[in-house]
C-alpha cells in the first residue's frame, strides 16, 4: 500500500500546481470530500517535508517542494481548504498572498463561556491569533436549522467577548471575486500588509483559481 507522502510526490509529476496544493490540503486535513464527518489526517506538512528530504533527486521533487510551501495542516472541510488557498496563495497563482493563518486553532474559553456553550474550547476555521481575527465558513448544507444557527451565534458572541473579530464567509461569497476582494482587503488592513499585486492579468488569474477550486469543494 502506497503511503500518502509517496502519493504526493507521485502526483507532483502530473498535477498542475494548484491541484497539487489542493491534494496536499486533503492529505493534511481531517475532512472527506463530501459530508460533515471527520477523519484522522492522512499526513501532515512536516511528514511530507521529511519524506521529500529523503527523496532528493527524484522526478517531481522540485514541484512537490514548491507546492508544499503553500499547504496548511488541519483543514476540517474542503471549503476551509479552498478559502485558505484563495487568501494565501501568491498573486501569480490567483490568490491574495496574505500571511498563513492557523486552521482550526483551539481557543480555550473562560468558565462563564464554557457554561454557555457546554464545552471548554472552540476552534476557529482560519485564525490569525496575533491580531485576534478569524474567518468562519458558513456552509449552506451543514449550518442550517434553528438550533445550529443559535449555537453558531452563541459561539461567535463568546469569541467576540474574547476580543476576537470573526469574519463570516458564505458559499455565495466564496464564489464571488468581488466579495473575496472585499474580505481580503479587510484582512490585509488588519494584518498590515499591502495588496497591490504587480501581476499581469490578475483579475483573470483570480477567476481561474476560483473555477479550479470549485471542482475541489
Amino acid at each position: 500500500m502506497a503511503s500518502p507522502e509517496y502519493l504526493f510526490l507521485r502526483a507532483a509529476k502530473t498535477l498542475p500546481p494548484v491541484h497539487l496544493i489542493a491534494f496536499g490540503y486533503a492529505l493534511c486535513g481531517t475532512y472527506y470530500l463530501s459530508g460533515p464527518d471527520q477523519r484522522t489526517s492522512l499526513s501532515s506538512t512536516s511528514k511530507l517535508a521529511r519524506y521529500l528530504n529523503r527523496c532528493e533527486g527524484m522526478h517531481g521533487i522540485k514541484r512537490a517542494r514548491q507546492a508544499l510551501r503553500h499547504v496548511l495542516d488541519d483543514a476540517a472541510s474542503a471549503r476551509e481548504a479552498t478559502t485558505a488557498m484563495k487568501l494565501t496563495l501568491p498573486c501569480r497563482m490567483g490568490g491574495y498572498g496574505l500571511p498563513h493563518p492557523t486552521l482550526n486553532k483551539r481557543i480555550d474559553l473562560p468558565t462563564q463561556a464554557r457554561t454557555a456553550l457546554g464545552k471548554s474550547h472552540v476552534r476557529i476555521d482560519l485564525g490569525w491569533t496575533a491580531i485576534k481575527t478569524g474567518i468562519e465558513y458558513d456552509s449552506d448544507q451543514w449550518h442550517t436549522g434553528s438550533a445550529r444557527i443559535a449555537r453558531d451565534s452563541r459561539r461567535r458572541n463568546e469569541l467576540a467577548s474574547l476580543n476576537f473579530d470573526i469574519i463570516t464567509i458564505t458559499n455565495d461569497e466564496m464564489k464571488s471575486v468581488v466579495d473575496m476582494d472585499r474580505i481580503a482587503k479587510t484582512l490585509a488592513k488588519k494584518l498590515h500588509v499591502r495588496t497591490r499585486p504587480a501581476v499581469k492579468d490578475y483579475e483573470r488569474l483570480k477567476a481561474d483559481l476560483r473555477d479550479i477550486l470549485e471542482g475541489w469543494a
Side-chain angles (χ1 to χ4, degrees), residues 142-212:
W142 311 120
H143 287 263
T144 56
S146 58
R148 188 176 293 270
I149 290 170
R151 186 189 67 191
D152 287 349
S153 177
R154 286 195 300 271
R155 182 173 174 276
R156 287 177 186 138
N157 287 338
E158 292 299 343
L159 285 169
S161 73
L162 297 175
N163 297 318
F164 270 89
D165 185 9
I166 301 300
I167 300 169
T168 300
I169 296 183
T170 65
N171 193 45
D172 286 342
E173 287 173 321
M174 275 282 293
K175 296 177 180 179
S176 167
V177 170
V178 173
D179 287 332
M180 289 301 296
D181 281 351
R182 172 180 52 79
I183 291 166
K185 185 176 180 179
T186 299
L187 280 170
K189 185 175 181 180
K190 289 177 173 291
L191 291 163
H192 304 292
V193 296
R194 302 182 68 181
T195 55
R196 294 182 182 176
V199 179
K200 292 182 180 179
D201 298 325
Y202 183 47
E203 296 303 317
R204 177 185 61 80
L205 291 170
K206 285 191 295 186
D208 288 347
L209 179 62
R210 177 197 61 196
D211 293 342
I212 291 171

Side-chain angles (χ1 to χ4, degrees), residues 67-81:
L68 185 56
R69 295 188 192 121
H70 305 295
V71 177
L72 299 178
D73 290 312
D74 298 328
S77 71
R79 279 301 190 193
E80 287 180 17

Side-chain angles (χ1 to χ4, degrees), residues 43-126:
S43 188
S44 67
T45 54
S46 60
K47 288 180 181 178
L48 288 171
R50 287 196 296 270
Y51 181 81
L52 295 180
N53 285 338
R54 298 197 300 268
C55 297
E56 189 67 46
M58 291 184 65
H59 182 47
I61 187 69
K62 183 177 179 180
R63 288 165 57 90
R65 283 176 172 161
Q66 289 173 340
L68 185 56
R69 295 188 192 121
H70 305 295
V71 177
L72 299 178
D73 290 312
D74 298 328
S77 71
R79 279 301 190 193
E80 287 180 17
T82 55
T83 300
M85 289 178 67
K86 286 180 180 181
L87 292 172
T88 65
L89 286 183
C91 297
R92 59 182 170 78
M93 299 177 74
Y96 294 98
L98 296 177
H100 286 174
T102 301
L103 303 189
N104 289 287
K105 172 70 175 178
R106 174 177 169 141
I107 306 296
D108 291 320
L109 296 171
T111 302
Q112 185 176 358
R114 293 182 185 188
T115 302
L117 290 178
K119 57 176 66 177
S120 63
H121 67 276
V122 295
R123 293 186 184 274
I124 301 176
D125 292 348
L126 285 75

Side-chain angles (χ1 to χ4, degrees), residues 38 81 137 176:
Q38 296 291 291
Y137 171 68
S176 167

